Short mmCIF file of all heavy atoms in Angstrom, two decimals:
data_model
loop_
_atom_site.label_atom_id
_atom_site.label_comp_id
_atom_site.label_asym_id
_atom_site.label_seq_id
_atom_site.Cartn_x
_atom_site.Cartn_y
_atom_site.Cartn_z
N SER A 90 139.75 82.64 163.55
CA SER A 90 138.71 83.63 163.27
C SER A 90 137.50 83.37 164.15
O SER A 90 137.32 82.28 164.69
CB SER A 90 138.30 83.60 161.79
OG SER A 90 137.69 82.35 161.48
N ILE A 91 136.67 84.42 164.30
CA ILE A 91 135.43 84.35 165.09
C ILE A 91 134.29 84.86 164.23
O ILE A 91 134.39 85.92 163.61
CB ILE A 91 135.54 85.20 166.37
CG1 ILE A 91 136.64 84.65 167.29
CG2 ILE A 91 134.21 85.25 167.11
CD1 ILE A 91 136.92 85.54 168.49
N ASP A 92 133.21 84.13 164.18
CA ASP A 92 132.01 84.55 163.46
C ASP A 92 130.86 84.62 164.45
O ASP A 92 130.39 83.60 164.96
CB ASP A 92 131.69 83.56 162.33
CG ASP A 92 130.43 83.95 161.55
OD1 ASP A 92 129.90 85.04 161.81
OD2 ASP A 92 130.00 83.16 160.68
N LEU A 93 130.41 85.86 164.75
CA LEU A 93 129.34 86.04 165.73
C LEU A 93 127.95 85.92 165.12
O LEU A 93 126.95 86.10 165.84
CB LEU A 93 129.49 87.41 166.39
CG LEU A 93 130.72 87.57 167.29
CD1 LEU A 93 130.86 89.00 167.79
CD2 LEU A 93 130.64 86.62 168.48
N MET A 94 127.87 85.63 163.84
CA MET A 94 126.57 85.45 163.19
C MET A 94 125.66 86.64 163.48
O MET A 94 124.56 86.51 164.01
CB MET A 94 125.93 84.14 163.65
CG MET A 94 126.81 82.92 163.46
SD MET A 94 126.22 81.46 164.34
CE MET A 94 124.63 81.20 163.55
N LYS A 95 126.17 87.84 163.14
CA LYS A 95 125.50 89.08 163.56
C LYS A 95 124.65 89.73 162.47
O LYS A 95 124.27 90.89 162.59
CB LYS A 95 126.53 90.08 164.07
CG LYS A 95 127.67 90.40 163.11
CD LYS A 95 128.70 91.28 163.80
CE LYS A 95 129.86 91.62 162.87
NZ LYS A 95 130.86 92.48 163.53
N SER A 96 124.33 88.99 161.43
CA SER A 96 123.45 89.53 160.40
C SER A 96 122.13 89.98 161.00
O SER A 96 121.58 89.31 161.88
CB SER A 96 123.20 88.47 159.32
OG SER A 96 122.13 88.84 158.49
N ARG A 97 121.60 91.10 160.52
CA ARG A 97 120.35 91.61 161.06
C ARG A 97 119.19 90.63 160.88
O ARG A 97 118.28 90.58 161.69
CB ARG A 97 119.98 92.94 160.39
CG ARG A 97 120.94 94.07 160.69
CD ARG A 97 120.41 95.36 160.11
NE ARG A 97 121.50 96.19 159.61
CZ ARG A 97 121.33 97.34 159.00
NH1 ARG A 97 120.13 97.79 158.80
NH2 ARG A 97 122.38 98.04 158.57
N SER A 98 119.25 89.87 159.80
CA SER A 98 118.17 88.91 159.54
C SER A 98 118.51 87.51 160.03
O SER A 98 117.77 86.56 159.80
CB SER A 98 117.88 88.85 158.03
OG SER A 98 119.05 88.49 157.31
N GLY A 99 119.65 87.38 160.73
CA GLY A 99 120.09 86.08 161.22
C GLY A 99 119.40 85.67 162.50
O GLY A 99 118.66 86.44 163.13
N GLN A 100 119.67 84.44 162.91
CA GLN A 100 119.00 83.86 164.07
C GLN A 100 119.25 84.66 165.35
O GLN A 100 118.31 84.92 166.11
CB GLN A 100 119.45 82.42 164.26
CG GLN A 100 118.81 81.72 165.45
CD GLN A 100 119.28 80.27 165.59
OE1 GLN A 100 119.93 79.74 164.70
NE2 GLN A 100 118.95 79.64 166.70
N ASN A 101 120.51 85.06 165.58
CA ASN A 101 120.83 85.75 166.83
C ASN A 101 120.01 87.02 167.01
O ASN A 101 119.31 87.20 168.01
CB ASN A 101 122.32 86.09 166.88
CG ASN A 101 123.17 84.91 167.33
OD1 ASN A 101 122.71 84.03 168.05
ND2 ASN A 101 124.41 84.88 166.89
N ARG A 102 120.10 87.91 166.03
CA ARG A 102 119.46 89.22 166.20
C ARG A 102 117.94 89.14 166.10
O ARG A 102 117.24 89.93 166.73
CB ARG A 102 120.06 90.23 165.23
CG ARG A 102 121.51 90.56 165.61
CD ARG A 102 122.12 91.66 164.80
NE ARG A 102 121.36 92.89 164.83
CZ ARG A 102 121.77 94.04 164.28
NH1 ARG A 102 122.95 94.07 163.66
NH2 ARG A 102 121.04 95.12 164.33
N MET A 103 117.44 88.19 165.35
CA MET A 103 115.99 88.04 165.30
C MET A 103 115.46 87.53 166.63
O MET A 103 114.46 88.05 167.15
CB MET A 103 115.61 87.06 164.18
CG MET A 103 115.88 87.58 162.77
SD MET A 103 114.88 89.02 162.31
CE MET A 103 113.26 88.27 162.16
N GLU A 104 116.14 86.52 167.21
CA GLU A 104 115.68 85.97 168.48
C GLU A 104 115.86 86.95 169.63
O GLU A 104 115.12 86.90 170.62
CB GLU A 104 116.41 84.66 168.78
CG GLU A 104 116.01 83.51 167.86
CD GLU A 104 116.71 82.22 168.23
OE1 GLU A 104 117.61 82.26 169.10
OE2 GLU A 104 116.35 81.16 167.65
N HIS A 105 116.85 87.83 169.51
CA HIS A 105 117.11 88.81 170.57
C HIS A 105 116.35 90.12 170.34
O HIS A 105 116.53 91.08 171.10
CB HIS A 105 118.60 89.08 170.68
CG HIS A 105 119.36 88.00 171.37
ND1 HIS A 105 119.87 88.13 172.65
CD2 HIS A 105 119.70 86.75 170.97
CE1 HIS A 105 120.49 87.01 173.00
NE2 HIS A 105 120.40 86.16 171.99
N HIS A 106 115.53 90.17 169.29
CA HIS A 106 114.72 91.36 168.99
C HIS A 106 115.60 92.60 168.80
O HIS A 106 115.24 93.70 169.25
CB HIS A 106 113.69 91.61 170.10
CG HIS A 106 112.84 90.42 170.42
ND1 HIS A 106 111.75 90.04 169.67
CD2 HIS A 106 112.96 89.48 171.41
CE1 HIS A 106 111.22 88.94 170.19
NE2 HIS A 106 111.93 88.58 171.23
N THR A 107 116.73 92.42 168.13
CA THR A 107 117.62 93.56 167.86
C THR A 107 117.81 93.75 166.36
O THR A 107 118.72 94.45 165.94
CB THR A 107 119.00 93.35 168.53
OG1 THR A 107 119.60 92.15 168.01
CG2 THR A 107 118.87 93.24 170.03
N ASN A 108 116.95 93.13 165.56
CA ASN A 108 117.11 93.18 164.11
C ASN A 108 116.79 94.55 163.52
O ASN A 108 117.17 94.85 162.38
CB ASN A 108 116.22 92.12 163.45
CG ASN A 108 114.78 92.21 163.92
OD1 ASN A 108 114.49 92.04 165.10
ND2 ASN A 108 113.86 92.49 163.00
N LEU A 109 116.10 95.42 164.28
CA LEU A 109 115.75 96.74 163.75
C LEU A 109 116.86 97.77 163.91
O LEU A 109 116.80 98.83 163.30
CB LEU A 109 114.47 97.26 164.42
CG LEU A 109 113.19 96.47 164.14
CD1 LEU A 109 111.99 97.13 164.81
CD2 LEU A 109 112.95 96.35 162.64
N TYR A 110 117.86 97.47 164.74
CA TYR A 110 118.98 98.40 164.88
C TYR A 110 119.71 98.51 163.55
O TYR A 110 120.14 97.51 162.98
CB TYR A 110 119.96 97.93 165.96
CG TYR A 110 119.43 98.09 167.37
CD1 TYR A 110 118.67 97.10 167.97
CD2 TYR A 110 119.70 99.24 168.12
CE1 TYR A 110 118.18 97.23 169.26
CE2 TYR A 110 119.23 99.39 169.41
CZ TYR A 110 118.46 98.38 169.97
OH TYR A 110 117.98 98.52 171.25
N GLN A 111 119.84 99.74 163.06
CA GLN A 111 120.48 99.96 161.76
C GLN A 111 122.00 99.96 161.94
O GLN A 111 122.68 100.98 161.80
CB GLN A 111 120.00 101.27 161.14
CG GLN A 111 118.51 101.25 160.81
CD GLN A 111 118.04 102.58 160.27
OE1 GLN A 111 118.76 103.28 159.57
NE2 GLN A 111 116.81 102.94 160.61
N SER A 112 122.53 98.80 162.28
CA SER A 112 123.95 98.65 162.57
C SER A 112 124.34 97.21 162.30
O SER A 112 123.54 96.29 162.50
CB SER A 112 124.24 99.01 164.03
OG SER A 112 125.52 98.59 164.42
N ASP A 113 125.57 97.01 161.84
CA ASP A 113 126.09 95.66 161.63
C ASP A 113 126.82 95.15 162.86
O ASP A 113 127.47 94.10 162.81
CB ASP A 113 127.03 95.65 160.41
CG ASP A 113 126.26 95.91 159.12
OD1 ASP A 113 125.09 95.50 159.03
OD2 ASP A 113 126.83 96.53 158.21
N ASP A 114 126.74 95.87 163.97
CA ASP A 114 127.36 95.42 165.21
C ASP A 114 126.59 94.23 165.78
O ASP A 114 125.44 93.97 165.41
CB ASP A 114 127.41 96.55 166.23
CG ASP A 114 128.33 97.68 165.82
OD1 ASP A 114 129.44 97.38 165.34
OD2 ASP A 114 127.93 98.86 165.94
N PHE A 115 127.24 93.52 166.70
CA PHE A 115 126.61 92.37 167.33
C PHE A 115 125.84 92.86 168.55
O PHE A 115 126.44 93.18 169.59
CB PHE A 115 127.67 91.34 167.72
CG PHE A 115 127.08 90.04 168.20
CD1 PHE A 115 126.13 89.37 167.45
CD2 PHE A 115 127.48 89.48 169.39
CE1 PHE A 115 125.58 88.16 167.88
CE2 PHE A 115 126.97 88.27 169.84
CZ PHE A 115 126.00 87.62 169.07
N ILE A 116 124.51 92.95 168.44
CA ILE A 116 123.66 93.52 169.48
C ILE A 116 122.75 92.42 170.01
O ILE A 116 121.97 91.83 169.26
CB ILE A 116 122.83 94.69 168.92
CG1 ILE A 116 123.74 95.73 168.25
CG2 ILE A 116 122.01 95.34 170.03
CD1 ILE A 116 122.99 96.77 167.46
N ILE A 117 122.86 92.13 171.30
CA ILE A 117 122.08 91.06 171.92
C ILE A 117 121.52 91.53 173.25
O ILE A 117 121.86 92.62 173.73
CB ILE A 117 122.95 89.79 172.13
CG1 ILE A 117 124.21 90.14 172.95
CG2 ILE A 117 123.32 89.15 170.81
CD1 ILE A 117 125.03 88.95 173.35
N ARG A 118 120.67 90.69 173.83
CA ARG A 118 120.06 91.03 175.13
C ARG A 118 120.48 90.01 176.18
O ARG A 118 120.70 88.84 175.88
CB ARG A 118 118.54 91.05 175.00
CG ARG A 118 118.05 92.09 174.00
CD ARG A 118 116.53 92.24 174.01
NE ARG A 118 116.10 93.10 172.93
CZ ARG A 118 116.07 94.44 172.99
NH1 ARG A 118 116.46 95.05 174.09
NH2 ARG A 118 115.65 95.15 171.96
N ARG A 119 120.58 90.49 177.41
CA ARG A 119 121.07 89.64 178.49
C ARG A 119 120.00 88.62 178.88
O ARG A 119 118.81 88.76 178.58
CB ARG A 119 121.47 90.50 179.69
CG ARG A 119 120.32 91.22 180.39
CD ARG A 119 120.83 92.11 181.51
NE ARG A 119 119.74 92.62 182.35
CZ ARG A 119 119.92 93.37 183.43
NH1 ARG A 119 121.15 93.71 183.78
NH2 ARG A 119 118.90 93.78 184.15
N GLY A 120 120.46 87.56 179.59
CA GLY A 120 119.55 86.52 180.05
C GLY A 120 119.09 85.60 178.95
O GLY A 120 118.10 84.88 179.11
N GLN A 121 119.79 85.58 177.84
CA GLN A 121 119.37 84.81 176.67
C GLN A 121 120.62 84.30 175.96
O GLN A 121 121.65 84.99 175.92
CB GLN A 121 118.56 85.73 175.75
CG GLN A 121 117.87 85.03 174.60
CD GLN A 121 116.94 85.99 173.86
OE1 GLN A 121 116.53 87.02 174.40
NE2 GLN A 121 116.59 85.65 172.64
N SER A 122 120.56 83.11 175.40
CA SER A 122 121.73 82.54 174.75
C SER A 122 121.86 83.03 173.31
O SER A 122 120.88 83.43 172.69
CB SER A 122 121.66 81.01 174.75
OG SER A 122 120.52 80.57 174.04
N PHE A 123 123.10 83.01 172.80
CA PHE A 123 123.36 83.35 171.40
C PHE A 123 124.37 82.34 170.84
O PHE A 123 125.04 81.63 171.60
CB PHE A 123 123.88 84.78 171.25
CG PHE A 123 125.20 85.05 171.93
CD1 PHE A 123 126.41 84.87 171.25
CD2 PHE A 123 125.25 85.52 173.24
CE1 PHE A 123 127.63 85.13 171.86
CE2 PHE A 123 126.46 85.78 173.86
CZ PHE A 123 127.65 85.58 173.18
N LEU A 124 124.47 82.28 169.53
CA LEU A 124 125.34 81.33 168.85
C LEU A 124 126.52 82.03 168.20
O LEU A 124 126.41 83.19 167.78
CB LEU A 124 124.55 80.56 167.78
CG LEU A 124 123.38 79.72 168.27
CD1 LEU A 124 122.58 79.18 167.09
CD2 LEU A 124 123.86 78.58 169.16
N MET A 125 127.66 81.33 168.11
CA MET A 125 128.84 81.87 167.45
C MET A 125 129.71 80.71 166.95
O MET A 125 129.67 79.61 167.48
CB MET A 125 129.65 82.74 168.42
CG MET A 125 130.19 82.01 169.65
SD MET A 125 131.10 83.09 170.80
CE MET A 125 132.58 83.41 169.87
N TRP A 126 130.47 80.99 165.90
CA TRP A 126 131.42 80.02 165.36
C TRP A 126 132.83 80.47 165.69
O TRP A 126 133.15 81.66 165.63
CB TRP A 126 131.30 79.91 163.84
CG TRP A 126 130.14 79.10 163.34
CD1 TRP A 126 128.94 79.57 162.89
CD2 TRP A 126 130.09 77.67 163.22
NE1 TRP A 126 128.14 78.52 162.51
CE2 TRP A 126 128.81 77.35 162.69
CE3 TRP A 126 130.98 76.64 163.51
CZ2 TRP A 126 128.41 76.05 162.43
CZ3 TRP A 126 130.57 75.33 163.26
CH2 TRP A 126 129.31 75.04 162.74
N ILE A 127 133.69 79.51 166.04
CA ILE A 127 135.12 79.77 166.23
C ILE A 127 135.89 78.83 165.31
O ILE A 127 135.66 77.60 165.33
CB ILE A 127 135.56 79.54 167.69
CG1 ILE A 127 134.84 80.50 168.63
CG2 ILE A 127 137.08 79.70 167.83
CD1 ILE A 127 135.18 80.29 170.09
N THR A 128 136.76 79.40 164.49
CA THR A 128 137.63 78.58 163.64
C THR A 128 139.00 78.50 164.31
O THR A 128 139.62 79.53 164.61
CB THR A 128 137.77 79.19 162.24
OG1 THR A 128 136.47 79.29 161.65
CG2 THR A 128 138.66 78.32 161.36
N LEU A 129 139.50 77.25 164.54
CA LEU A 129 140.75 77.02 165.25
C LEU A 129 141.85 76.61 164.27
O LEU A 129 141.59 76.31 163.10
CB LEU A 129 140.56 75.94 166.31
CG LEU A 129 139.48 76.24 167.37
CD1 LEU A 129 139.18 75.01 168.19
CD2 LEU A 129 139.92 77.40 168.26
N SER A 130 143.07 76.58 164.78
CA SER A 130 144.21 76.22 163.94
C SER A 130 144.25 74.72 163.65
O SER A 130 144.96 74.27 162.75
CB SER A 130 145.51 76.66 164.62
OG SER A 130 145.64 76.06 165.90
N ARG A 131 143.51 73.95 164.41
CA ARG A 131 143.40 72.51 164.19
C ARG A 131 142.13 72.05 164.85
O ARG A 131 141.42 72.82 165.51
CB ARG A 131 144.62 71.78 164.78
CG ARG A 131 144.82 71.98 166.27
CD ARG A 131 145.87 71.04 166.82
NE ARG A 131 146.17 71.29 168.21
CZ ARG A 131 145.41 70.93 169.24
NH1 ARG A 131 144.26 70.29 169.03
NH2 ARG A 131 145.78 71.20 170.49
N ALA A 132 141.81 70.80 164.68
CA ALA A 132 140.60 70.26 165.28
C ALA A 132 140.68 70.30 166.81
O ALA A 132 141.75 70.11 167.39
CB ALA A 132 140.37 68.84 164.80
N PHE A 133 139.58 70.54 167.46
CA PHE A 133 139.50 70.64 168.91
C PHE A 133 139.36 69.24 169.50
O PHE A 133 138.49 68.46 169.12
CB PHE A 133 138.31 71.49 169.30
CG PHE A 133 138.18 71.76 170.77
CD1 PHE A 133 138.94 72.75 171.38
CD2 PHE A 133 137.28 71.03 171.56
CE1 PHE A 133 138.81 73.01 172.74
CE2 PHE A 133 137.16 71.28 172.91
CZ PHE A 133 137.93 72.27 173.50
N ASP A 134 140.27 68.93 170.46
CA ASP A 134 140.25 67.64 171.14
C ASP A 134 139.77 67.89 172.57
O ASP A 134 140.53 68.42 173.40
CB ASP A 134 141.64 67.02 171.13
CG ASP A 134 141.66 65.61 171.75
OD1 ASP A 134 140.65 65.23 172.37
OD2 ASP A 134 142.69 64.92 171.61
N SER A 135 138.54 67.53 172.86
CA SER A 135 137.96 67.85 174.18
C SER A 135 138.66 67.14 175.32
O SER A 135 138.53 67.55 176.48
CB SER A 135 136.47 67.49 174.18
OG SER A 135 136.29 66.11 173.87
N SER A 136 139.42 66.09 175.02
CA SER A 136 140.10 65.36 176.09
C SER A 136 141.37 66.07 176.56
O SER A 136 141.81 65.89 177.69
CB SER A 136 140.45 63.93 175.62
OG SER A 136 141.37 63.98 174.54
N THR A 137 141.96 66.88 175.70
CA THR A 137 143.22 67.56 176.06
C THR A 137 143.14 69.07 175.91
O THR A 137 143.91 69.79 176.55
CB THR A 137 144.37 67.05 175.18
OG1 THR A 137 144.05 67.26 173.80
CG2 THR A 137 144.62 65.56 175.42
N ASP A 138 142.23 69.57 175.10
CA ASP A 138 142.16 71.02 174.82
C ASP A 138 141.12 71.69 175.72
O ASP A 138 140.11 71.10 176.08
CB ASP A 138 141.78 71.27 173.36
CG ASP A 138 142.82 70.72 172.39
OD1 ASP A 138 144.01 70.66 172.78
OD2 ASP A 138 142.45 70.36 171.26
N LYS A 139 141.42 72.93 176.05
CA LYS A 139 140.48 73.74 176.83
C LYS A 139 140.28 75.08 176.12
O LYS A 139 141.14 75.54 175.38
CB LYS A 139 141.01 73.96 178.25
CG LYS A 139 141.09 72.69 179.07
CD LYS A 139 141.58 72.99 180.49
CE LYS A 139 141.66 71.72 181.32
NZ LYS A 139 142.15 71.99 182.70
N LEU A 140 139.15 75.73 176.45
CA LEU A 140 138.84 76.99 175.79
C LEU A 140 137.88 77.79 176.67
O LEU A 140 137.00 77.21 177.31
CB LEU A 140 138.20 76.69 174.42
CG LEU A 140 137.70 77.81 173.52
CD1 LEU A 140 137.79 77.39 172.07
CD2 LEU A 140 136.24 78.15 173.86
N HIS A 141 138.04 79.09 176.73
CA HIS A 141 137.06 79.95 177.38
C HIS A 141 137.04 81.31 176.71
O HIS A 141 138.00 81.71 176.03
CB HIS A 141 137.31 80.09 178.90
CG HIS A 141 138.54 80.88 179.24
ND1 HIS A 141 139.73 80.28 179.58
CD2 HIS A 141 138.75 82.22 179.30
CE1 HIS A 141 140.63 81.22 179.83
NE2 HIS A 141 140.06 82.41 179.67
N LEU A 142 135.93 82.04 176.88
CA LEU A 142 135.78 83.39 176.34
C LEU A 142 136.10 84.41 177.42
O LEU A 142 135.86 84.17 178.61
CB LEU A 142 134.35 83.62 175.83
CG LEU A 142 133.73 82.56 174.93
CD1 LEU A 142 132.34 83.02 174.51
CD2 LEU A 142 134.59 82.29 173.71
N GLU A 143 136.61 85.57 176.99
CA GLU A 143 136.84 86.68 177.91
C GLU A 143 136.13 87.91 177.37
O GLU A 143 136.30 88.28 176.21
CB GLU A 143 138.34 86.96 178.10
CG GLU A 143 139.06 85.92 178.91
CD GLU A 143 140.37 86.44 179.49
OE1 GLU A 143 140.52 87.66 179.61
OE2 GLU A 143 141.24 85.61 179.80
N LEU A 144 135.31 88.53 178.22
CA LEU A 144 134.59 89.75 177.86
C LEU A 144 135.00 90.85 178.81
O LEU A 144 134.98 90.66 180.03
CB LEU A 144 133.07 89.51 177.95
CG LEU A 144 132.50 88.44 177.01
CD1 LEU A 144 131.05 88.15 177.39
CD2 LEU A 144 132.58 88.90 175.57
N LYS A 145 135.34 92.01 178.25
CA LYS A 145 135.79 93.14 179.07
C LYS A 145 135.01 94.38 178.70
O LYS A 145 134.83 94.69 177.52
CB LYS A 145 137.29 93.39 178.87
CG LYS A 145 138.17 92.23 179.32
CD LYS A 145 139.64 92.54 179.08
CE LYS A 145 140.53 91.37 179.50
NZ LYS A 145 141.97 91.65 179.25
N SER A 146 134.53 95.10 179.73
CA SER A 146 133.75 96.31 179.52
C SER A 146 134.30 97.43 180.39
O SER A 146 134.67 97.20 181.55
CB SER A 146 132.28 96.05 179.86
OG SER A 146 131.50 97.19 179.63
#
Side-chain angles (χ1 to χ4, degrees):
S90 65
I91 297 173
D92 180 6
L93 292 174
M94 305 167 62
K95 55 186 180 180
S96 166
R97 294 187 216 176
S98 58
Q100 180 179 350
N101 278 333
R102 291 187 56 174
M103 292 295 290
E104 290 183 352
H105 284 253
H106 308 279
T107 60
N108 52 298
L109 295 183
Y110 287 87
Q111 296 177 35
S112 167
D113 293 328
D114 293 317
F115 188 51
I116 306 169
I117 55 173
R118 299 188 187 276
R119 67 184 190 177
Q121 189 172 340
S122 61
F123 63 90
L124 299 172
M125 61 182 289
W126 283 99
I127 298 177
T128 301
L129 302 169
S130 58
R131 59 170 175 77
F133 185 80
D134 184 349
S135 58
S136 64
T137 58
D138 298 331
K139 294 182 180 180
L140 177 151
H141 70 260
L142 311 182
E143 288 200 22
L144 298 170
K145 297 179 181 179
S146 182

